[in-house]
Amino acid sequence: MIKARQQTSFLFDLDGTLVDSVYDHVLAWHDALQEEGIEVSVWRLHRKIGMSGGLFTKALARETGQEFGPEMLERLRQLHLKYYNARSHRTRPLPGAKELLAYLSDNDIPWAIATSGRIETAGPVLAILGVDPAKHVVITRDLVRYAKPDPDLFLAAAERLGCEIETACVVGDAIWDMLAARRARALGIGLLTGGYGMEELERAGAYRVYEDPADLLAHLDEVGGRR
């Protein structure tokens, strides 16, 4: 007997994938570091957005030659939260993001959001996107042991959906999303909305790369987005 195909599910990163917030995070970290007297170029911060907070600060410690103790790390996290939340009310969904999620819902195609951000920063932009964590599957950094590039966020999202991770598409804008997708044994789909180039995303494991959520929606059949 031929086994019926399993339904494809979609696991989305949030910042830079569904909402235009990457540079809000970059500038918030820049302001936080400057307040602590730490000089780091903005472009260097951009390349690290999407990593777990622990890896992010370890990378900064290597580049600046400074040792970040627990008290400093907590101050930086709180300062980032302050500066990011001062900007996040202006964040807007990326083109096609709401329409993509609505299409998936209308066609009974499972989807979830898995973000390296904590709920304290993700909450306001989820509201702007129209996603309610009480009604939709949302996995934040608070709920897993490790964030990207480890696969925990996406594995937890697939588990909550009741879907096999091997049949899932991980959609993200950064190489950290694609690396996490490979480690989770999911199919990586890259978007150009976070500032990474097509070749970078493909080298990190992206099967397909699209301009933005609207472009992905237009080509959803290419990645198994059918009822």
Side-chain angles (χ1 to χ4, degrees), residues 29-110:
W29 277 115
H30 188 257
D31 290 346
L33 289 162
Q34 283 205 319
E35 186 161 328
E36 289 294 322
I38 302 169
E39 290 292 336
V40 180
S41 300
V42 170
W43 73 269
R44 292 187 182 276
L45 297 174
H46 169 255
R47 306 302 289 181
K48 298 172 182 61
I49 295 299
M51 300 171 72
S52 72
L55 291 179
F56 182 94
T57 50
K58 284 181 181 178
L60 286 180
R62 282 195 298 268
E63 290 190 9
T64 61
Q66 299 192 37
E67 188 69 32
F68 294 163
E71 291 184 0
M72 169 68 82
L73 292 177
E74 181 58 22
R75 283 203 306 274
L76 287 174
R77 193 177 76 82
Q78 291 299 326
L79 286 169
H80 168 263
L81 174 63
K82 179 182 78 170
Y83 286 117
Y84 177 74
N85 283 346
R87 293 180 169 90
S88 64
H89 68 281
R90 299 191 297 268
T91 300
R92 292 294 177 265
L94 284 159
K98 287 187 174 182
E99 293 81 359
L100 174 58
L101 297 183
Y103 177 89
L104 296 176
S105 294
D106 291 345
N107 288 277
D108 297 320
I109 299 173

Side-chain angles (χ1 to χ4, degrees), residues 24-226:
D24 292 335
H25 278 289
V26 170
L27 294 174
W29 277 115
H30 188 257
D31 290 346
L33 289 162
Q34 283 205 319
E35 186 161 328
E36 289 294 322
I38 302 169
E39 290 292 336
V40 180
S41 300
V42 170
W43 73 269
R44 292 187 182 276
L45 297 174
H46 169 255
R47 306 302 289 181
K48 298 172 182 61
I49 295 299
M51 300 171 72
S52 72
L55 291 179
F56 182 94
T57 50
K58 284 181 181 178
L60 286 180
R62 282 195 298 268
E63 290 190 9
T64 61
Q66 299 192 37
E67 188 69 32
F68 294 163
E71 291 184 0
M72 169 68 82
L73 292 177
E74 181 58 22
R75 283 203 306 274
L76 287 174
R77 193 177 76 82
Q78 291 299 326
L79 286 169
H80 168 263
L81 174 63
K82 179 182 78 170
Y83 286 117
Y84 177 74
N85 283 346
R87 293 180 169 90
S88 64
H89 68 281
R90 299 191 297 268
T91 300
R92 292 294 177 265
L94 284 159
K98 287 187 174 182
E99 293 81 359
L100 174 58
L101 297 183
Y103 177 89
L104 296 176
S105 294
D106 291 345
N107 288 277
D108 297 320
I109 299 173
W111 62 270
I113 291 176
T115 173
S116 291
R118 297 177 183 273
I119 192 62
E120 57 197 4
T121 55
V125 293
L126 286 169
I128 291 169
L129 188 60
V131 173
D132 183 353
K135 299 177 181 178
H136 303 100
V137 175
V138 176
I139 304 296
T140 59
R141 178 65 183 88
D142 319 72
L143 302 176
V144 297
R145 183 174 183 183
Y146 297 114
K148 294 172 277 187
D150 287 284
D152 301 35
L153 286 162
F154 297 120
L155 292 171
E159 183 177 358
R160 283 275 301 276
L161 285 175
C163 299
E164 297 292 333
I165 190 64
E166 292 85 358
T167 64
C169 290
V170 165
V171 183
D173 65 294
I175 59 173
W176 317 112
D177 300 306
M178 299 302 101
L179 290 171
R182 291 176 70 173
R183 292 172 177 175
R185 305 181 310 282
L187 192 69
I189 306 298
L191 300 183
L192 297 175
T193 44
Y196 285 90
M198 180 178 293
E199 290 185 359
E200 289 179 290
L201 293 169
E202 288 178 339
R203 283 199 304 270
Y207 166 70
R208 286 284 188 274
V209 178
Y210 299 100
E211 288 187 2
D212 55 21
D215 192 28
L216 171 57
L217 178 57
H219 296 87
L220 204 60
D221 58 314
E222 295 179 350
V223 293
R226 298 190 297 271

